Amino acid sequence: MKNNLTIYNTLSRKKEKFEPINPPFVGMYVCGPTVYGDAHLGHARPAITFDLLFRYLKYLGYKVRYVRNITDVGHLVNDADEGEDKIAKKAKLEHIEPMEIVQKYTNSYHRNTAQLNTLPPRIEPHASAHIIEQAAMAKKILENGFAYEVNGSVYFDVEKYSEKNNYGKLSGRKIEDLISNTRELAGQSEKKNPFDFALWKKAEPEHIMRWPSEWSDGFPGWHLECSVMSTKYLGDKFDIHGGGLDLQFPHHECEIAQSKAANGEDSVKYWMHNNLITIEGQKMSKSLGNFITLDEMFSGKNDLLEQAYSPMVVRFFILQAHYRSTLDFSNKALQASEKGLQRLMKGLETLEKIKPSAETSVDLKSLKEKTFDALNDDLNTPILIAHLFDGIKMINQIHSGDETINNEDLEDLKSFYKLTVFDILGLKPESQNANSDKKFEDAINLLLNIRLEAKKNKDFATSDKIRDELNKIGIIVKDKKDGFEWEIK
Ligand code: ZN
């Protein structure tokens, strides 16, 4: 398969042809979750975006080493290196060990991402299992003169680094602006400059998650783990680093600075960022009360939700937007996705019923070309899906006899849809669609309540008819003292 993939590199701010450093191998690192709470809508987007890329690269024939980390230490409540560790704070609230919090929410993240049909990464390293490597990298940066130690903590010296390097090149921020914006904060902490960031933090006496080091008993700074674990498993120079747009600054900017300061060069060839999900135009956050976990999405148990949305509806909804666009959640949008997905799956059922003719009257080649052009254009899934729907129209026309297809082309069309819908977009048929199940139950109960009324009015003809007709389609009705029960034969 020829590789025509172009991807938008956040670093160069343009689409670039994807050329791996060492083909057929591709190294891909994606920032995973900080596991201190249930996975939510915001987690679904990067998981699905980079799953799509993983699937497509594998289809193109690459051997992809996909690494996605678990942040289980060092991510403080406040990004400016202050406050409690997010995991330790949650552990206190739930009265359990920090590592129990890590296990609990790692498990639920795995369960939710499996429901969304994302393939597991090849390696899933934990930050807490790489403390020695993080201390070693902090030491190297210190020895190279880009960090300083104060009271047992080690901070990255952004001003020093900026003398010969461009701190801000990923996010577009300028060091001069950072200096003027934070001037009044200077001198309020032990850092030389407020925008310096921790490589190693000395732990306060009450801080539970701590490790010994040559500077103090403490813990690594949040940004350091990704510099360390990406290069440990993918080499000093690797292909793709991904994550949510909210991580671009400071997290990824700091990663670039750390790697350069330690090794003298950037480690990443392509930086990719998925945009964020908003809820009816607002940022999703606990404080705004518009926070929706994935379990709530799938069960419908959240006041913001009018119904349950199945994992495949959520996946399809996310794929219907380009990963670099914002995506606004609303019940209306999700319901439209649900209908769209049903239409797509129905089309695939129709495809299976088609009988081949002697000749083909439809243009399969152009459908396939346009679909892959969209995918190659920085994973343009909304356009790709639009072409798949054009193809469904074509399928319906063949089925109704307005167009024809020969046997060979029919098999080709079937494998094209299997490849794009199931293997690349990662959708799967949901025989048990939670929402239509509920509607089905409601409809049967409605019929049986009408039957109860008929019985009350001594209209036994109607009452028996409802029971017998349901029986014929395989629904067995049992009369009870206080009403009825039914089951599917
Ligand atoms: Zn990261």
Side-chain angles (χ1 to χ4, degrees):
M1 182 69 199
K2 197 165 171 279
N3 164 23
N4 285 319
L5 177 64
T6 56
I7 50 179
Y8 182 87
N9 190 344
T10 316
L11 195 57
S12 67
R13 291 174 181 72
K14 56 177 188 245
K15 286 183 200 170
E16 293 176 16
K17 182 160 175 28
F18 177 68
E19 281 167 334
I21 298 162
N22 183 26
F25 302 98
V26 171
M28 176 163 105
Y29 185 90
V30 175
C31 288
T34 304
V35 281
Y36 70 107
D38 285 319
H40 51 77
L41 262 183
H43 288 113
R45 201 165 190 199
I48 289 170
T49 299
F50 294 102
D51 182 58
L52 169 76
L53 181 60
F54 182 37
R55 286 167 178 270
Y56 188 44
L57 290 173
K58 287 203 304 172
Y59 164 71
L60 289 175
Y62 292 115
K63 296 188 184 314
V64 189
R65 188 177 291 165
Y66 174 17
V67 182
R68 186 180 64 205
N69 69 306
I70 293 285
T71 296
D72 58 358
V73 66
H75 197 174
L76 303 187
V77 171
N78 176 330
D79 273 347
D81 300 322
E82 303 296 336
E84 268 182 281
D85 183 290
K86 290 187 178 190
I87 286 163
K89 186 180 174 190
K90 186 75 174 177
K92 241 186 258 170
L93 274 173
E94 295 196 11
H95 302 289
I96 54 178
E97 272 291 304
M99 279 303 144
E100 285 183 275
I101 290 290
V102 168
Q103 193 66 57
K104 177 179 171 184
Y105 292 112
T106 302
N107 292 348
S108 78
Y109 179 75
H110 285 162
R111 183 168 45 75
N112 287 152
T113 45
Q115 284 171 303
L116 290 167
N117 202 28
T118 63
L119 303 171
R122 291 284 161 83
I123 304 175
E124 193 171 53
H126 283 56
S128 64
H130 299 77
I131 303 292
I132 293 169
E133 292 90 333
Q134 291 180 77
M137 190 164 190
K139 189 172 182 183
K140 210 165 162 195
I141 296 171
L142 201 54
E143 283 169 358
N144 289 352
F146 294 106
Y148 54 92
E149 186 200 337
V150 49
N151 302 329
S153 293
V154 178
Y155 294 102
F156 191 93
D157 191 338
V158 173
E159 213 166 11
K160 169 84 173 124
Y161 174 79
S162 298
E163 286 169 9
K164 288 194 179 131
N165 300 281
N166 182 2
Y167 181 80
K169 69 176 179 178
L170 181 71
S171 59
R173 302 194 188 208
K174 293 205 164 29
I175 182 79
E176 303 80 41
D177 296 343
L178 287 173
I179 291 172
S180 61
N181 288 342
T182 53
R183 188 168 290 145
E184 57 276 24
L185 291 169
Q188 287 183 8
S189 80
E190 59 192 16
K191 294 181 196 174
K192 277 203 234 168
N193 280 303
F195 45 78
D196 290 347
F197 54 91
L199 300 175
W200 187 266
K201 274 285 270 188
K202 181 183 173 180
E204 299 296 330
E206 67 277 11
H207 198 104
I208 315 167
M209 301 169 83
R210 54 168 69 218
W211 290 264
S213 78
E214 61 186 89
W215 310 292
S216 63
D217 265 17
F219 54 93
W222 171 38
H223 314 305
L224 200 52
E225 65 176 272
C226 290
S227 284
V228 162
M229 296 189 290
S230 58
T231 50
K232 175 167 173 129
Y233 297 108
L234 299 174
D236 282 344
K237 185 99 188 156
F238 61 94
D239 299 296
I240 300 167
H241 193 315
L245 197 56
D246 52 338
L247 296 177
Q248 190 178 302
F249 189 89
H251 187 54
H252 292 159
E253 196 73 67
C254 295
E255 264 189 60
I256 291 178
Q258 288 164 164
S259 298
K260 188 91 190 277
N263 305 323
E265 63 166 357
D266 288 351
S267 14
V268 179
K269 187 167 181 192
Y270 304 95
W271 281 92
M272 292 178 73
H273 292 94
N274 64 275
N275 213 319
L276 307 181
I277 288 188
T278 53
I279 309 272
E280 288 174 348
Q282 278 189 310
K283 195 181 160 195
M284 184 169 91
S285 81
K286 282 204 169 120
S287 56
L288 287 172
N290 63 357
F291 196 83
I292 308 175
T293 69
L294 288 171
D295 281 338
E296 289 165 350
M297 284 296 289
F298 304 155
S299 68
K301 286 182 188 132
N302 182 308
D303 290 344
L304 294 166
L305 301 173
E306 288 170 10
Q307 60 170 83
Y309 300 100
S310 74
M312 283 307 103
V313 168
V314 174
R315 185 171 179 117
F316 190 60
F317 169 69
I318 287 174
L319 291 170
Q320 276 182 303
H322 187 252
Y323 75 91
R324 284 192 291 116
S325 319
T326 54
L327 175 58
D328 193 44
F329 165 89
S330 68
N331 282 285
K332 226 173 121 194
L334 256 293
Q335 284 157 8
S337 290
E338 186 175 57
K339 283 211 182 78
L341 183 61
Q342 280 167 1
R343 196 150 57 88
L344 184 63
M345 292 301 172
K346 190 110 203 348
L348 298 190
E349 283 171 23
T350 308
L351 178 59
E352 292 302 319
K353 292 183 208 151
I354 287 178
K355 302 262 182 302
S357 313
E359 301 289 332
T360 297
S361 66
V362 289
D363 188 357
L364 284 191
K365 191 164 168 270
S366 133
L367 172 70
K368 284 162 69 175
E369 271 175 17
K370 283 193 270 183
T371 304
F372 280 99
D373 283 352
L375 197 53
N376 286 329
D377 183 14
D378 191 29
L379 307 174
N380 199 331
T381 50
I383 301 289
L384 180 157
I385 290 169
H387 292 310
L388 291 181
F389 276 122
D390 286 345
I392 296 293
K393 237 182 261 166
M394 192 168 93
I395 288 168
N396 289 331
Q397 283 165 346
I398 301 170
H399 185 59
S400 65
D402 296 336
E403 300 279 0
T404 58
I405 192 163
N406 69 26
N407 195 34
E408 193 187 330
D409 287 340
L410 179 60
E411 290 311 311
D412 193 29
L413 186 61
K414 283 181 186 172
S415 52
F416 166 73
Y417 268 92
K418 184 190 165 294
L419 171 69
T420 49
V421 176
F422 301 132
D423 299 349
I424 296 177
L425 292 181
L427 296 164
K428 60 179 183 187
E430 286 175 307
S431 52
Q432 300 287 315
N433 180 314
N435 194 46
S436 48
D437 272 4
K438 175 83 177 62
K439 284 182 181 160
F440 172 73
E441 267 178 43
D442 288 350
I444 300 291
N445 288 333
L446 174 74
L447 259 179
L448 291 176
N449 278 318
I450 294 172
R451 176 170 175 264
L452 271 189
E453 264 174 52
K455 270 208 319 198
K456 230 189 269 165
N457 299 333
K458 308 222 180 300
D459 176 5
F460 295 112
T462 305
S463 134
D464 288 353
K465 185 172 181 196
I466 292 175
R467 185 197 55 209
D468 295 345
E469 292 297 318
L470 282 175
N471 202 353
K472 267 190 216 160
I473 56 171
I475 291 161
I476 312 301
V477 181
K478 283 182 206 144
D479 289 311
K480 294 269 160 187
K481 264 189 211 137
D482 51 347
F484 53 79
E485 259 180 14
W486 58 272
E487 60 178 20
I488 300 170
K489 192 158 59 178

